[in-house]
Coordinates of all heavy atoms in Angstrom, one line a residue:
K69 N 12.6 -97.8 2.6 CA 11.1 -97.9 2.0 C 10.1 -98.1 2.9 O 9.0 -97.7 2.9 CB 11.1 -99.0 0.8 CG 11.9 -98.5 -0.4 CD 11.8 -99.6 -1.5 CE 12.4 -99.1 -2.9 NZ 12.2 -100.1 -4.0
A70 N 10.4 -99.1 3.9 CA 9.5 -99.3 5.0 C 9.0 -98.0 5.8 O 8.0 -97.8 6.2 CB 9.9 -100.4 5.9
I71 N 10.2 -97.3 6.2 CA 10.0 -96.0 6.9 C 9.2 -95.1 6.0 O 8.3 -94.3 6.5 CB 11.3 -95.5 7.5 CG1 11.9 -96.4 8.4 CG2 11.0 -94.1 8.0 CD1 13.3 -96.1 8.8
D72 N 9.6 -95.0 4.8 CA 8.9 -94.0 3.8 C 7.5 -94.4 3.7 O 6.6 -93.5 3.8 CB 9.7 -94.1 2.6 CG 9.1 -93.0 1.7 OD1 9.4 -91.9 1.9 OD2 8.6 -93.3 0.6
A73 N 7.1 -95.7 3.6 CA 5.8 -96.0 3.6 C 5.0 -95.7 4.8 O 3.8 -95.4 4.7 CB 5.7 -97.5 3.2
Q74 N 5.7 -95.9 5.9 CA 5.1 -95.7 7.2 C 4.7 -94.3 7.4 O 3.7 -94.0 8.1 CB 5.9 -96.3 8.4 CG 5.3 -96.1 9.7 CD 6.2 -96.6 10.8 OE1 7.3 -97.1 10.5 NE2 5.8 -96.6 12.0
F75 N 5.6 -93.4 7.1 CA 5.4 -91.9 7.4 C 5.1 -91.1 6.2 O 4.2 -90.4 6.2 CB 6.7 -91.4 8.1 CG 7.0 -92.1 9.4 CD1 8.1 -93.0 9.6 CD2 6.0 -92.0 10.6 CE1 8.4 -93.6 10.8 CE2 6.4 -92.5 11.7 CZ 7.5 -93.4 11.9
F76 N 5.9 -91.1 5.2 CA 5.8 -90.2 4.0 C 4.7 -90.5 3.2 O 4.0 -89.6 2.7 CB 7.1 -90.1 3.3 CG 8.2 -89.5 4.3 CD1 9.1 -90.3 5.0 CD2 8.4 -88.2 4.4 CE1 10.0 -89.9 5.8 CE2 9.3 -87.6 5.2 CZ 10.2 -88.4 5.8
D77 N 4.3 -91.7 3.0 CA 3.2 -92.0 2.0 C 1.9 -91.6 2.7 O 1.1 -90.9 2.0 CB 3.1 -93.6 1.6 CG 4.2 -94.0 0.7 OD1 5.0 -93.0 0.2 OD2 4.4 -95.2 0.6
S78 N 1.8 -91.9 3.9 CA 0.5 -91.4 4.7 C 0.5 -89.8 4.7 O -0.5 -89.2 4.6 CB 0.6 -92.0 6.1 OG 1.7 -91.6 6.8
R79 N 1.8 -89.3 4.8 CA 1.7 -87.9 4.9 C 1.3 -87.3 3.5 O 0.6 -86.3 3.4 CB 3.2 -87.4 5.1 CG 3.3 -85.9 5.2 CD 4.8 -85.5 5.2 NE 5.3 -85.7 3.9 CZ 6.6 -85.8 3.7 NH1 7.5 -85.4 4.6 NH2 7.0 -86.1 2.4
T80 N 1.8 -87.9 2.4 CA 1.4 -87.4 1.2 C -0.2 -87.5 1.0 O -0.8 -86.7 0.4 CB 2.1 -88.3 0.1 OG1 3.5 -88.0 0.3 CG2 1.8 -87.7 -1.3
A81 N -0.8 -88.7 1.3 CA -2.2 -89.1 1.1 C -3.0 -88.1 2.0 O -4.1 -87.7 1.7 CB -2.4 -90.5 1.3
I82 N -2.5 -87.9 3.3 CA -3.4 -87.3 4.4 C -3.1 -85.8 4.5 O -3.9 -84.9 4.3 CB -3.4 -88.0 5.6 CG1 -3.8 -89.5 5.5 CG2 -4.2 -87.3 6.7 CD1 -3.6 -90.3 6.7
N83 N -1.7 -85.6 4.9 CA -1.4 -84.2 5.1 C -1.4 -83.3 4.0 O -1.7 -82.1 4.1 CB 0.0 -84.3 5.9 CG 0.0 -84.9 7.2 OD1 -1.1 -85.2 7.7 ND2 1.2 -85.2 7.7
Q84 N -1.1 -83.8 2.8 CA -1.0 -82.9 1.7 C -2.5 -82.4 1.3 O -2.7 -81.3 1.0 CB -0.4 -83.6 0.5 CG -0.2 -82.8 -0.7 CD 0.9 -81.7 -0.5 OE1 1.8 -81.9 0.2 NE2 0.7 -80.5 -1.0
S85 N -3.4 -83.4 1.4 CA -4.8 -82.9 1.2 C -5.3 -82.1 2.3 O -6.1 -81.1 2.1 CB -5.6 -84.2 1.1 OG -5.6 -84.9 2.4
L86 N -4.7 -82.3 3.4 CA -5.2 -81.4 4.7 C -4.7 -80.0 4.4 O -5.6 -79.0 4.5 CB -4.5 -81.9 5.8 CG -4.7 -81.0 7.1 CD1 -6.1 -81.1 7.6 CD2 -3.7 -81.4 8.2
L87 N -3.5 -79.8 3.9 CA -3.0 -78.5 3.5 C -3.8 -77.9 2.6 O -3.9 -76.6 2.5 CB -1.5 -78.5 3.2 CG -0.5 -78.8 4.3 CD1 0.8 -79.1 3.7 CD2 -0.4 -77.6 5.2
E88 N -4.3 -78.6 1.5 CA -5.0 -78.0 0.4 C -6.5 -77.8 0.7 O -7.0 -76.8 0.3 CB -4.9 -78.9 -0.8 CG -3.6 -79.3 -1.4 CD -2.9 -78.0 -2.0 OE1 -3.7 -77.0 -2.2 OE2 -1.8 -77.9 -2.0
I89 N -7.1 -78.5 1.7 CA -8.6 -78.5 1.8 C -8.8 -78.1 3.3 O -9.6 -77.1 3.6 CB -9.2 -79.8 1.6 CG1 -8.9 -80.3 0.2 CG2 -10.7 -79.7 1.9 CD1 -9.3 -81.7 -0.1
K90 N -8.3 -78.7 4.4 CA -8.7 -78.5 5.8 C -7.9 -77.4 6.4 O -7.3 -77.8 7.5 CB -8.6 -79.8 6.5 CG -9.1 -79.9 7.8 CD -9.0 -81.3 8.4 CE -9.4 -81.4 9.9 NZ -8.4 -81.0 10.8
D91 N -7.9 -76.2 5.9 CA -7.3 -75.1 6.5 C -8.2 -74.3 7.4 O -8.5 -73.1 6.9 CB -6.6 -74.2 5.4 CG -5.4 -75.0 4.9 OD1 -5.0 -76.0 5.5 OD2 -4.9 -74.4 3.8
E92 N -8.8 -74.9 8.3 CA -10.0 -74.2 9.0 C -9.5 -72.9 9.6 O -10.2 -71.9 9.5 CB -10.6 -75.1 10.2 CG -11.2 -76.3 9.5 CD -11.7 -77.3 10.6 OE1 -11.5 -76.8 11.8 OE2 -12.2 -78.5 10.4
F93 N -8.5 -72.9 10.4 CA -8.1 -71.7 11.0 C -7.5 -70.7 10.0 O -7.7 -69.5 10.1 CB -7.0 -72.0 12.0 CG -7.5 -72.9 13.1 CD1 -7.1 -74.2 13.3 CD2 -8.4 -72.4 14.1 CE1 -7.6 -75.0 14.3 CE2 -8.9 -73.2 15.0 CZ -8.4 -74.5 15.2
R94 N -6.9 -71.1 9.0 CA -6.3 -70.2 7.9 C -7.6 -69.6 7.3 O -7.5 -68.4 7.0 CB -5.4 -71.0 6.9 CG -4.8 -70.0 5.8 CD -4.0 -70.8 5.0 NE -4.6 -72.0 4.4 CZ -5.4 -71.9 3.2 NH1 -5.6 -70.7 2.7 NH2 -5.9 -73.0 2.7
V95 N -8.5 -70.3 6.8 CA -9.7 -69.9 6.1 C -10.4 -68.8 7.0 O -10.8 -67.8 6.6 CB -10.7 -71.0 5.8 CG1 -12.0 -70.5 5.3 CG2 -9.9 -71.9 4.8
E96 N -10.6 -69.2 8.3 CA -11.3 -68.4 9.3 C -10.4 -66.9 9.4 O -11.1 -65.9 9.3 CB -11.4 -69.0 10.6 CG -12.0 -68.1 11.7 CD -13.5 -67.7 11.3 OE1 -14.1 -68.6 10.6 OE2 -14.1 -66.8 11.8
K97 N -9.1 -67.1 9.5 CA -8.3 -65.9 9.5 C -8.3 -65.0 8.3 O -8.5 -63.8 8.4 CB -7.0 -66.4 9.9 CG -5.9 -65.1 10.1 CD -4.6 -65.5 10.6 CE -3.6 -64.3 10.5 NZ -4.2 -63.1 11.4
E98 N -8.4 -65.7 7.2 CA -8.5 -65.0 6.0 C -9.8 -64.3 5.9 O -9.9 -63.1 5.4 CB -8.2 -65.8 4.7 CG -6.8 -66.3 4.7 CD -6.7 -67.4 3.5 OE1 -7.8 -67.8 2.9 OE2 -5.5 -67.7 3.2
K99 N -10.9 -64.9 6.3 CA -12.2 -64.3 6.3 C -12.2 -63.1 7.2 O -12.7 -62.0 6.9 CB -13.2 -65.3 6.9 CG -13.6 -66.2 5.8 CD -14.7 -67.2 6.5 CE -15.2 -68.4 5.4 NZ -16.1 -69.2 6.0
Q100 N -11.6 -63.4 8.4 CA -11.5 -62.1 9.3 C -10.7 -60.9 8.8 O -11.0 -60.0 8.9 CB -10.9 -62.6 10.7 CG -11.9 -63.4 11.5 CD -11.3 -63.7 12.9 OE1 -10.2 -63.3 13.2 NE2 -12.1 -64.4 13.8
E101 N -9.6 -61.3 8.1 CA -8.7 -60.3 7.5 C -9.5 -59.6 6.5 O -9.4 -58.4 6.2 CB -7.5 -60.9 7.0 CG -6.4 -61.4 8.1 CD -5.3 -61.9 7.4 OE1 -5.2 -62.4 6.4 OE2 -4.2 -62.3 8.3
R102 N -10.3 -60.4 5.6 CA -11.0 -59.7 4.7 C -12.1 -58.8 5.2 O -12.4 -57.7 4.6 CB -11.7 -60.8 3.7 CG -10.8 -61.4 2.7 CD -11.5 -62.1 1.6 NE -12.3 -63.3 2.2 CZ -11.9 -64.5 2.3 NH1 -10.6 -64.8 1.9 NH2 -12.7 -65.4 2.8
L103 N -12.8 -59.3 6.4 CA -13.7 -58.6 7.0 C -13.2 -57.2 7.5 O -13.6 -56.1 7.4 CB -14.4 -59.2 8.0 CG -15.4 -58.6 8.9 CD1 -16.6 -58.2 8.0 CD2 -15.9 -59.4 10.0
V104 N -11.9 -57.3 8.2 CA -11.2 -56.2 8.7 C -10.8 -55.2 7.6 O -10.9 -53.9 7.8 CB -10.0 -56.7 9.5 CG1 -9.1 -55.4 9.8 CG2 -10.3 -57.4 10.8
R105 N -10.3 -55.8 6.4 CA -10.0 -55.0 5.4 C -11.2 -54.2 4.8 O -11.0 -52.9 4.5 CB -9.3 -55.7 4.3 CG -7.8 -56.1 4.5 CD -7.2 -56.6 3.3 NE -7.8 -57.8 2.7 CZ -7.4 -59.1 3.0 NH1 -6.4 -59.2 3.9 NH2 -8.0 -60.1 2.4
K106 N -12.4 -54.9 4.7 CA -13.6 -54.2 4.2 C -13.9 -53.3 5.2 O -14.3 -52.0 4.9 CB -14.6 -55.3 4.1 CG -16.0 -54.7 3.6 CD -17.0 -55.8 3.5 CE -18.3 -55.2 2.9 NZ -19.4 -56.3 2.8
Q107 N -13.9 -53.5 6.5 CA -14.3 -52.5 7.6 C -13.3 -51.2 7.5 O -13.8 -50.1 7.6 CB -14.4 -53.1 8.8 CG -15.4 -54.1 9.2 CD -15.2 -54.7 10.5 OE1 -14.2 -54.7 11.1 NE2 -16.4 -55.4 10.9

């Protein structure tokens, strides 16, 4: 539980939200792909 609290809880609180919200490069790439598809 100590290891789980140290790594996995923080991962759930920080990294999971990161995957849902902070996808800067993915969002940029998707924008570029949409632009390329439009062009």
Side-chain angles (χ1 to χ4, degrees):
K69 287 185 178 180
I71 295 172
D72 187 62
Q74 182 181 355
F75 296 113
F76 293 94
D77 288 349
S78 61
R79 183 193 63 194
T80 302
I82 300 173
N83 292 351
Q84 187 67 34
S85 61
L86 174 73
L87 283 170
E88 297 295 341
I89 302 171
K90 189 176 172 270
D91 289 350
E92 296 178 1
F93 297 109
R94 179 176 60 81
V95 171
E96 179 64 25
K97 180 171 175 58
E98 288 176 351
K99 285 181 180 178
Q100 287 190 357
E101 288 178 348
R102 284 196 297 270
L103 179 61
V104 169
R105 284 196 296 269
K106 183 179 178 182
Q107 291 174 345

